[in-house]
Amino acid sequence: MKKEPQQNLHLIFNPKTVAVIGASENPAKLGSHVMKSLLQDDGFRGRIVPVNPNGGEIMGISSVSSVTEIKGSVDLAIVVVPAGAVPGVFQECGKKGVGGIVLITAGFKEIDDPAGAELQSRLAEIAMAEGMPVIGPNTFGIVNRTIDLNASFTPEFSHVERGGVSIVSQSGGISHLLAFMAMKEHVGISKIIGLGNRLNIDFAEILPYLVEDPDTQVIILYLEGLDDPRKLMDAARNTGGKKPILAMKAGSAESGNRASLSHTGSVAGRQEVYKAAMIQSGILPMESTEALMDIARALSLCPLPGGPRMAVLTGQAGPGMVACDTCERYGLQIASFQESTQAAINNLLPPLAIRTNPVDMGPAWYDSAAIKGIMRAAAEDENTDGILLLMMFASANRGAVSYLSDFLLDWRQKKPVVTCLVSPAGIWDDEVLRLERAGALVNLPTPERAAKVMASLWQYKHKTWR
Amino acid sequence: MKKEPQQNLHLIFNPKTVAVIGASENPAKLGSHVMKSLLQDDGFRGRIVPVNPNGGEIMGISSVSSVTEIKGSVDLAIVVVPAGAVPGVFQECGKKGVGGIVLITAGFKEIDDPAGAELQSRLAEIAMAEGMPVIGPNTFGIVNRTIDLNASFTPEFSHVERGGVSIVSQSGGISHLLAFMAMKEHVGISKIIGLGNRLNIDFAEILPYLVEDPDTQVIILYLEGLDDPRKLMDAARNTGGKKPILAMKAGSAESGNRASLSHTGSVAGRQEVYKAAMIQSGILPMESTEALMDIARALSLCPLPGGPRMAVLTGQAGPGMVACDTCERYGLQIASFQESTQAAINNLLPPLAIRTNPVDMGPAWYDSAAIKGIMRAAAEDENTDGILLLMMFASANRGAVSYLSDFLLDWRQKKPVVTCLVSPAGIWDDEVLRLERAGALVNLPTPERAAKVMASLWQYKHKTWR
């Protein structure tokens, strides 16, 4: 008896041999972009076999005319031939016993013509009979940054940084958006998965795989509409909260609903019902792509706060005030320091400064020992569960980030440190990024986004997601 | 009889001669940063005179020992001497008849010691007797990018791009944050003004000046607390809606406000009262620093939509759906195209594509004439009031932005075009920035922020701010 398709998922994300069926050197064909992606930079370290009936070399690699001619096993076949040719290719893949398929070709269930849906059903039968998992059709592909596998038509995905966030999306456009946001904001990614029309691998099948995947720490889902939402909710509940699962559901608008129907063949359901069901199943509903990336990054880098009591340390009063506003709006508290902490801070700041929480460290800008001392006192205080650190660059505080870096590195992973350290390009960026990569902090571009991220860490920990 | 201080504001923002009282070469003194700011890059094109009792050259410029020794008139004196020495300096400035003062020195009304407030009152008397406007004390200074005047302690402000947005802030930290955001997001700035303790120039005085300032198109206010909010509201109302005024009010949180925890209700209430008063006075209340910059940029670059009916043109369905969700959440409508428009689009896209609004232009990626034709048909449609254009880069649509640029340049300023064109760094950025600088579009980093900006343009036009 054949295996369930999802049992082979590990194989297609970690293949030794990849066949590209429909490989091409013609830049107007997706088959050329897929080859480029596999070869991008140092490229995929396994074996790549282009399959094209015309034979010859493709991008310097000898091709074969059919997948059945490949010697040894094929773990992943990427299929980019025209829709009509796909059933034949699937049968050959079955005969060869390939581990699984990424079907990039479009023109199936998502088109208005019922012939598209019929063709997709036929493919599903072949794939199920052979126990082959199929990502797609109508997808850009999959990426596993952990092993440098870029099985997509977008070579630039190979430039996304490696890390613990995995993205699963029903929309190729949103996957591209999130991946490019990750590049810009240095979010480390493990997998990018375009589910497309979900022939036999849907959210409910991919989720358990990612929850067990040791390279994935945080899972992002982008949903439009599901045929069977309960299946996803059950799958999420069954993971037992082992990893954070963040989801954004589009399609609240009437017009968007029309688009969804024709986009990936499903109707987007009622937004509020989805939201409630997600929360009950342990999925964190997110309201924007920006929040999705901010919070996923923080969850992949930060320890969780043990409580809602924050120390707010600022280089200037204004950003501290804005952060406090946001903290209280999202259910965090501004900690009351222990007496010993307050005494230590009072020793380090002049009497006329704002020394209670939020602490204005401005007067200590020139004094590395004072800045470090304030930070240490606030961090070690038993009444604080996390630290929000906000500093805008000015000539007088140019050294402030480096003054703090030893302490931040020592302190890392003890309590969350979420920062808003902002300077013109080229001043603090590299140092802040180094600290973030070392797990010493998570930096956001505005005080509001920093405070909101901290609130989300607490809501996740406390299971009080709203 | 002396003039009202605010009558001299034009002079201090457009001085011919600037005196720096407390100029220094010692990098530990703010007086050195101020000199650096004035000399940064090509520097201020007027005359700079350092004033320092020790005499000699400061950064290559001969100094004088007192402002009274300067030959010819002095339009602006930047004062960075210790607090105790400021009254004497003010008297000399009065004697010299300087146009106005930027008082960077801190240690006045903002400190706990009542002596600070007393000293400030003394300064106010001298300044009022002489009719001298004073920006500060306790400020980073002022910047007028239009004439390359950087009268602040932050030389990096000279790298902010020139444009029509002016920022007035009660917090130096927030001014720095907004200026650095502007640098990153290429928002063109005219003036950055730190009001500090507002000796005799408060929001109510600066607002009428900026409304009449031909270099300012959009005004940003960042407020914490006002002694007399009605004065600002009256000043705003008196401008008659001549220019957009955006305001963010911080201090809703107890802690941020330093108010006692038992006063929750009244403080939260105050925030609502501020918001209502702002709307009544024609000030647009903003909920975050991010929204503040996004919407100010759009208002400085874009024509306003004549109505709420949007054409949503997307390169991929997902981002279009997210944009439609956001449009409808904020009161925009997805336009129904005229028959002729729909017919034109149907001619340009294959039958199985999503051709009604939102239009998925994906199938036309390779076809510059089709992309341009769809854009033109949607833009010229009498049923559309604005265009949201969303495209995520992929190998197949690399040329899409350049296909559209001629049309976008021709079309500029006819109806607003707000875009979310996202690619890895170095692909579309320069082209998009060129189009934005030419006034052909405003580009935002996510579909939600693009749609929200469009909704804000409509709310401003329609006076339905919420």
Side-chain angles (χ1 to χ4, degrees):
Chain A
M1 194 190 141
K2 288 282 174 188
K3 296 196 283 187
E4 289 292 309
Q6 61 266 34
Q7 289 178 262
N8 266 2
L9 281 171
H10 181 74
L11 211 54
I12 69 173
F13 283 103
N14 297 276
K16 293 203 165 57
T17 296
V18 178
V20 182
I21 305 177
S24 170
E25 281 205 335
N26 177 354
K29 302 234 172 202
L30 287 178
S32 79
H33 299 305
V34 172
M35 285 299 292
K36 259 198 189 166
S37 293
L38 284 166
L39 297 167
Q40 185 76 12
D41 299 335
D42 291 338
F44 171 60
R45 287 180 295 264
R47 179 168 63 136
I48 303 166
V49 187
V51 180
N52 189 308
N54 302 325
E57 282 202 349
I58 293 175
M59 298 191 189
I61 307 177
S62 302
S63 69
V64 296
S65 64
S66 158
V67 69
T68 55
E69 287 171 27
I70 298 173
K71 295 199 171 58
S73 61
V74 174
D75 306 307
L76 168 62
I78 308 171
V79 178
V80 262
V81 299
V86 174
V89 165
F90 265 47
Q91 268 153 347
E92 290 185 326
C93 285
K95 201 168 137 196
K96 174 65 191 168
V98 308
I101 291 172
V102 167
L103 178 55
I104 289 178
T105 310
F108 298 94
K109 197 182 164 192
E110 81 279 8
I111 61 173
D112 251 347
D113 190 333
E118 277 167 36
L119 198 56
Q120 183 164 333
S121 301
R122 237 180 98 201
L123 296 182
E125 278 166 31
I126 304 170
M128 291 311 270
E130 302 290 346
M132 293 187 296
V134 178
I135 305 283
N138 187 24
T139 175
F140 61 89
I142 61 172
V143 175
N144 183 0
R145 288 294 296 126
T146 309
I147 63 152
D148 287 334
L149 172 74
N150 183 349
S152 82
F153 61 56
T154 301
E156 288 76 9
F157 283 159
S158 299
H159 303 149
V160 176
E161 289 180 31
R162 283 186 202 88
V165 176
S166 287
I167 298 169
V168 188
S169 173
Q170 213 167 337
S171 154
I174 296 293
S175 302
H176 281 68
L177 172 67
L178 296 178
F180 299 154
M181 286 169 81
M183 285 167 79
K184 202 169 161 190
E185 294 168 11
H186 305 282
V187 184
I189 300 290
S190 179
K191 294 170 182 67
I192 309 171
I193 305 166
L195 290 183
N197 292 7
R198 294 154 288 143
L199 188 88
N200 63 19
I201 300 297
D202 205 334
F203 289 98
E205 284 78 32
I206 206 84
L207 196 58
Y209 167 67
L210 290 175
V211 168
E212 295 307 321
D213 173 28
D215 304 319
T216 296
Q217 292 169 275
V218 179
I219 301 162
I220 284 179
L221 311 177
Y222 169 81
L223 318 169
E224 292 178 353
L226 297 174
D227 300 324
D228 187 355
R230 189 179 302 269
K231 229 177 116 193
L232 167 61
M233 304 306 167
D234 288 344
R237 201 176 297 107
N238 287 338
T239 70
K242 198 170 164 187
K243 288 178 187 172
I245 306 167
L246 313 180
M248 177 163 159
K249 164 82 176 66
S252 62
E254 280 307 308
S255 45
N257 247 326
R258 286 203 310 268
S260 171
L261 183 57
S262 16
H263 179 199
T264 42
S266 345
V267 180
R270 291 236 333 269
Q271 203 69 2
E272 285 311 303
V273 176
Y274 261 98
K275 191 175 163 184
M278 282 182 196
I279 291 174
Q280 277 187 7
S281 316
I283 298 175
L284 316 179
M286 308 299 299
E287 65 201 18
S288 71
T289 49
E290 186 174 276
L292 204 52
M293 290 309 286
D294 281 355
I295 294 164
R297 176 158 58 106
L299 283 165
S300 78
L301 293 172
C302 249
L304 298 175
R309 303 162 307 167
M310 294 299 130
V312 180
L313 310 180
T314 83
Q316 298 96 347
M321 228 165 131
V322 171
C324 287
D325 285 355
T326 310
C327 280
E328 299 197 4
R329 187 170 310 138
Y330 291 100
L332 294 177
Q333 298 160 18
I334 309 307
S336 295
F337 290 140
Q338 291 175 308
E339 275 181 40
S340 56
T341 305
Q342 194 58 64
I345 293 172
N346 290 354
N347 263 330
L348 294 165
L349 282 174
L352 303 176
I354 304 172
R355 303 190 291 188
T356 53
N357 196 13
V359 182
D360 182 355
M361 304 193 297
W365 274 355
Y366 285 101
D367 182 349
S368 68
I371 293 201
K372 228 187 296 186
I374 295 166
M375 178 97 205
R376 178 183 300 279
E380 290 178 348
D381 190 310
E382 281 172 22
N383 290 349
T384 68
D385 300 306
I387 294 98
L388 279 160
L389 171 66
L390 315 120
M391 280 196 297
M392 306 304 127
F393 166 81
S395 301
N397 68 5
R398 182 176 287 264
V401 175
S402 65
Y403 294 166
L404 286 172
S405 71
D406 282 352
F407 172 75
L408 287 166
L409 289 169
D410 273 356
W411 182 260
R412 68 184 137 187
Q413 304 299 319
K414 289 191 185 134
K415 289 178 188 173
V417 177
V418 180
T419 64
C420 174
L421 303 170
V422 184
S423 73
I427 300 183
W428 284 348
D429 327 6
D430 288 352
E431 206 158 5
V432 169
L433 188 56
R434 198 162 51 241
L435 288 167
E436 182 162 308
R437 282 180 175 147
L441 54 79
V442 175
N443 193 53
L444 278 299
T446 68
E448 295 96 328
R449 283 168 69 181
K452 189 151 185 248
V453 155
M454 183 67 93
S456 300
L457 293 177
W458 167 238
Q459 287 168 10
Y460 173 64
K461 163 79 177 182
H462 195 224
K463 302 192 191 309
T464 51
W465 206 267
R466 299 180 281 198
Chain B
M1 194 188 140
K2 289 283 176 187
K3 299 195 284 187
E4 288 293 308
Q6 61 266 34
Q7 289 178 263
N8 267 2
L9 282 170
H10 181 74
L11 210 56
I12 69 173
F13 283 104
N14 298 275
K16 293 201 165 57
T17 295
V18 177
V20 182
I21 305 178
S24 169
E25 281 205 334
N26 177 355
K29 303 234 171 204
L30 287 177
S32 79
H33 299 306
V34 172
M35 285 300 293
K36 260 196 188 166
S37 294
L38 285 167
L39 297 167
Q40 184 76 10
D41 299 338
D42 292 338
F44 172 59
R45 287 181 293 264
R47 178 168 63 135
I48 303 167
V49 187
V51 179
N52 189 309
N54 302 325
E57 282 202 348
I58 293 175
M59 298 191 188
I61 308 177
S62 301
S63 69
V64 296
S65 65
S66 158
V67 69
T68 55
E69 287 170 27
I70 299 173
K71 295 199 170 56
S73 63
V74 173
D75 306 308
L76 169 61
I78 309 171
V79 178
V80 263
V81 299
V86 174
V89 164
F90 266 46
Q91 268 153 345
E92 289 185 328
C93 285
K95 201 168 138 195
K96 175 65 190 167
V98 307
I101 291 172
V102 166
L103 178 55
I104 289 179
T105 310
F108 298 94
K109 198 180 163 192
E110 82 281 9
I111 61 173
D112 252 347
D113 190 332
E118 277 166 37
L119 199 55
Q120 184 163 334
S121 301
R122 239 180 95 201
L123 296 182
E125 278 167 32
I126 304 171
M128 292 310 270
E130 303 290 346
M132 292 187 297
V134 178
I135 305 284
N138 188 25
T139 176
F140 60 89
I142 61 173
V143 175
N144 182 0
R145 288 294 297 126
T146 309
I147 63 152
D148 287 333
L149 171 73
N150 183 350
S152 82
F153 61 56
T154 300
E156 288 76 10
F157 283 158
S158 299
H159 303 149
V160 176
E161 289 180 31
R162 284 186 201 87
V165 177
S166 287
I167 299 169
V168 188
S169 172
Q170 214 166 336
S171 154
I174 296 293
S175 302
H176 281 68
L177 171 67
L178 297 177
F180 300 154
M181 286 168 81
M183 286 167 80
K184 201 170 163 188
E185 294 167 10
H186 305 282
V187 183
I189 299 292
S190 179
K191 292 169 185 68
I192 310 171
I193 304 166
L195 290 183
N197 292 8
R198 294 155 287 143
L199 188 87
N200 62 19
I201 300 298
D202 205 336
F203 288 99
E205 284 77 33
I206 206 83
L207 196 59
Y209 167 68
L210 291 175
V211 168
E212 295 307 320
D213 173 29
D215 304 320
T216 295
Q217 292 169 275
V218 179
I219 300 162
I220 284 179
L221 311 178
Y222 169 81
L223 318 170
E224 291 179 351
L226 297 175
D227 299 326
D228 187 355
R230 191 179 299 270
K231 229 176 117 193
L232 167 61
M233 304 306 168
D234 287 345
R237 202 177 296 107
N238 287 338
T239 70
K242 199 170 163 187
K243 288 177 187 173
I245 305 167
L246 315 179
M248 179 165 158
K249 163 80 176 68
S252 64
E254 297 307 327
S255 44
N257 235 352
R258 330 220 100 256
S260 85
L261 279 168
S262 54
H263 290 152
T264 318
S266 70
V267 175
R270 277 226 322 258
Q271 194 74 0
E272 285 310 303
V273 173
Y274 258 100
K275 192 176 163 182
M278 283 182 194
I279 292 174
Q280 276 187 9
S281 317
I283 297 176
L284 316 178
M286 308 299 297
E287 63 201 18
S288 70
T289 49
E290 187 174 275
L292 203 54
M293 290 309 287
D294 282 355
I295 294 163
R297 175 158 60 108
L299 284 165
S300 77
L301 293 171
C302 249
L304 297 175
R309 302 161 309 165
M310 295 300 128
V312 180
L313 310 180
T314 81
Q316 297 96 345
M321 237 169 119
V322 170
C324 287
D325 286 355
T326 310
C327 279
E328 299 197 2
R329 188 171 311 139
Y330 290 100
L332 294 178
Q333 298 160 19
I334 309 307
S336 295
F337 291 139
Q338 291 177 310
E339 275 181 40
S340 56
T341 305
Q342 194 59 62
I345 293 173
N346 291 354
N347 265 328
L348 293 165
L349 281 174
L352 303 175
I354 306 171
R355 304 189 292 188
T356 53
N357 195 14
V359 183
D360 182 355
M361 305 193 297
W365 274 354
Y366 285 101
D367 182 348
S368 68
I371 292 202
K372 229 186 296 187
I374 295 166
M375 178 98 206
R376 178 183 301 278
E380 289 176 349
D381 190 310
E382 282 172 21
N383 290 349
T384 68
D385 301 304
I387 293 99
L388 278 160
L389 172 66
L390 314 121
M391 279 197 297
M392 306 304 127
F393 167 82
S395 300
N397 68 4
R398 182 175 287 265
V401 175
S402 65
Y403 294 166
L404 287 173
S405 70
D406 282 352
F407 172 75
L408 286 167
L409 288 169
D410 274 357
W411 182 260
R412 67 184 138 186
Q413 303 299 319
K414 288 191 184 132
K415 289 179 188 173
V417 178
V418 180
T419 65
C420 174
L421 303 169
V422 183
S423 74
I427 299 182
W428 284 347
D429 327 6
D430 289 351
E431 206 157 7
V432 170
L433 188 56
R434 198 162 52 242
L435 288 167
E436 183 162 307
R437 283 181 176 149
L441 54 78
V442 175
N443 193 53
L444 278 297
T446 69
E448 295 97 328
R449 283 167 68 179
K452 189 151 186 246
V453 154
M454 183 68 94
S456 300
L457 293 176
W458 167 238
Q459 287 169 10
Y460 173 65
K461 162 80 176 178
H462 195 224
K463 302 192 191 307
T464 51
W465 206 266
R466 298 178 283 197

